[in-house]
Amino acid sequence: MSHPLTDFIHALRWQDVPPDVQDRTRDFLVDLLGVAVGGIGTRLSRIIRDHAADQFAPGSTPARMLLDGRPVSPAGAALAGGMTIDAYDAHDGHRLTKGHAGCAALPAAMAMAEATGRLDGGDLLVSLLLGYEIGTRAGIALHRTACDYHTSGAWTALSCSAIAARYLGLAAGQTRHALGIAEYHGPRSQMMRCIDHPTMLKDGSGWGGMAGVCAAYLARSGFTGAPAITAESHDVADLWGDLGRTWRVMEQYYKPFPVCRWAQPPVQAVLSLMQGHGLRPTDVARIEIVTFHQSLRLATRTPATTEEAQYSTAFPTAVAAVRGTIGAGDIAEAAFADPEIRRLAEGMVVTESDTYNAAFPARRIAHAVVVLRDGTRLESAPTEARGDPEDMVSREEMHAKYHACADPLLGAGRAEALRVAAGRLAPGQSAQTLLDLATAGC
């Protein structure tokens, strides 16, 4: 029952991965860990971790929750970790999936490494890479074949089942069943509902991780569920035929700010005007944004929760105009009452462009007009967010973002030790230090 996908899941070795792909995987590992720290203090993360501790008993193969330390089942650890990363919307993503592969993959891989006692650093890196390679393809396949736009959890369920199947050493037939179970039970939740009504549901990543890990354990016990049609159907075969040749991790973008990617082109456009002209927020009468439809749908202007602040175009653009950046404190409730931010957000004019709509999702473009108090109109060029794969930011910038997230909560010493441990993962080296540092409570 061998199949190219199951062969790839079980046969891939870190030594076979090109050096640039290895580097990008390591970079996103560090970035995801920093984003997890950014999310750990949110109410969303606290609720889901307490829920996992209460409802997902550790059983015979426990795994500690990310940045929490409490032992739960591997599925519970994947759930809590995925939702904690998702709580701080600064994780990598992919334009054509319109979602995030790494968010679910890292907690699932860490949970399975601890639960199985398979602590080789190369295995952990390969498992994270599988999350990108399988998740991205499954996401593109789902968008091609389904009539609705589903959250990332719908397709990261498959990638997390693959990660768990590899750690459990499932046979090829069992792995096919795991993928099929994950596809069938994965959360095909409606992303635009959460865009229009922002809540803690976010992108479904934690639920996808949970479903994927459960699927592999069920398949090991004899539960059937094959085939996964997004992996085996003839009309998506072209997406899977280049496994091991085309590396989808290289197509992921990096997010400099903890808000929806669709808001980041307007944010970048306004920053270019404010910084390029040396403007102060008090110089600005109003801001006009021309963007694509999905960005327009991020309609919250006066958020009451961090979720509403992250799923907004006007609010983070106003934050950027006033503060010159967007950090963790800017999407917390304490920031919502700032009078200058509220003035600019509430008065912002946001419209959509047919040209920018036609470019989406392969490109996300916006431009801004800053109208000064004297009536002067300053218009930006068409702008895309920083961190796209064709123009990736430097590793130094990624590390600076990591430390900005991690140092205040973990302390500079532990934060640096965690980053170094991630960088030292390698075949033949134990991942125990990384797991201990990443799962200890904050």
Side-chain angles (χ1 to χ4, degrees):
M1 296 187 69
S2 180
H3 182 277
L5 176 53
T6 59
D7 290 346
F8 184 74
I9 289 168
H10 293 286
L12 182 64
R13 296 292 178 265
W14 189 243
Q15 297 91 324
D16 302 326
V17 177
D20 60 333
V21 177
Q22 292 184 356
D23 288 344
R24 186 63 54 83
T25 305
R26 289 183 188 278
D27 287 342
F28 282 147
L29 168 59
V30 172
D31 191 56
L32 286 166
L33 289 169
V35 174
V37 181
I40 200 72
T42 62
R43 186 164 178 260
L44 188 165
S45 177
R46 291 193 294 272
I47 291 172
I48 200 64
R49 286 181 286 118
D50 287 345
H51 174 78
D54 187 54
Q55 299 293 326
F56 289 78
S60 59
T61 56
R64 290 169 292 175
M65 284 186 282
L66 192 61
L67 298 165
D68 182 286
R70 286 176 287 180
V72 295
S73 70
L79 170 67
M83 292 189 76
T84 291
I85 293 174
D86 215 8
Y88 189 67
D89 204 345
H91 45 312
D92 58 75
H94 188 271
R95 290 175 291 202
L96 297 184
T97 66
K98 297 178 283 187
H100 312 278
C103 178
L106 179 60
M110 292 175 62
M112 291 306 303
E114 184 161 36
T116 61
R118 293 179 54 179
L119 300 175
D120 182 81
D123 281 344
L124 184 58
L125 288 166
V126 166
S127 296
L128 178 59
L129 180 57
L130 284 176
Y132 289 105
E133 299 307 310
I134 295 173
T136 302
R137 288 171 170 84
I140 297 171
L142 181 61
H143 292 318
R144 180 187 294 182
T145 56
C147 61
D148 199 3
Y149 168 27
H150 300 289
T151 63
S152 299
W155 42 270
T156 57
L158 273 78
S159 57
C160 291
S161 73
I163 291 168
R166 179 183 171 97
Y167 271 108
L168 293 173
L170 300 189
Q174 292 174 311
T175 301
R176 284 189 66 237
H177 284 303
L179 292 166
I181 297 164
E183 179 187 77
Y184 199 85
H185 286 156
R188 291 204 173 185
S189 35
Q190 313 99 316
M191 187 70 244
M192 294 310 295
R193 184 191 125 186
C194 199
I195 294 296
D196 292 337
H197 306 283
T199 64
M200 294 180 185
L201 294 172
K202 298 298 289 284
D203 201 33
S205 298
W207 225 257
M210 177 197 70
V213 170
C214 286
Y217 278 101
L218 285 169
R220 186 178 70 169
S221 297
F223 202 96
T224 59
I229 58 174
T230 49
E232 296 192 28
S233 178
H234 291 302
D235 55 357
V236 297
D238 59 300
L239 297 175
W240 300 95
D242 60 354
L243 282 165
R245 298 194 306 275
T246 299
W247 296 95
R248 297 284 189 168
V249 70
M250 303 301 290
E251 300 172 359
Q252 313 298 315
Y253 59 72
Y254 160 86
K255 290 175 74 173
F257 306 120
V259 297
C260 181
R261 185 65 168 183
W262 298 347
Q264 298 203 19
V267 166
Q268 198 63 52
V270 166
L271 281 174
S272 70
L273 291 174
M274 298 295 293
Q275 295 169 356
H277 293 274
L279 299 176
R280 299 167 299 177
T282 52
D283 298 329
V284 178
R286 72 176 183 277
I287 295 171
E288 300 172 4
I289 298 295
V290 181
T291 187
F292 50 96
H293 176 75
Q294 288 75 9
S295 177
L296 177 72
R297 290 276 288 273
L298 299 167
T300 301
R301 292 173 182 272
T302 53
T305 67
T306 184
E307 290 78 31
E308 291 180 353
Q310 292 176 72
Y311 284 148
S312 168
T313 288
F315 179 77
T317 300
V319 169
V322 172
R323 300 187 177 172
T325 189
I326 308 170
D330 299 315
I331 57 169
E333 294 181 9
F336 298 163
D338 185 295
E340 275 297 280
I341 293 173
R342 288 179 66 97
R343 176 180 71 83
L344 292 175
E346 291 171 3
M348 198 170 299
V349 177
V350 184
T351 58
E352 62 185 283
S353 158
D354 290 341
T355 300
Y356 298 163
N357 286 340
F360 181 85
R363 299 182 68 186
R364 292 102 183 269
I365 308 171
H367 72 266
V369 176
V370 170
V371 182
L372 303 184
R373 293 191 181 275
D374 65 4
T376 302
R377 294 174 61 87
L378 303 173
E379 182 170 342
S380 76
T383 302
E384 295 177 82
R386 295 184 64 254
D388 277 343
E390 301 83 5
D391 190 24
M392 184 55 62
V393 302
S394 68
R395 179 171 295 159
E396 290 73 20
E397 179 172 335
M398 284 193 180
H399 287 181
K401 172 189 163 186
Y402 165 84
H403 282 290
C405 290
D407 288 7
L409 190 61
L410 302 185
R414 179 180 166 190
E416 178 65 8
L418 178 58
R419 186 188 65 77
V420 169
R424 288 178 177 170
L425 282 183
Q429 302 294 321
S430 174
Q432 189 68 63
T433 297
L434 173 70
L435 292 173
D436 288 344
L437 288 166
T439 57
C442 297

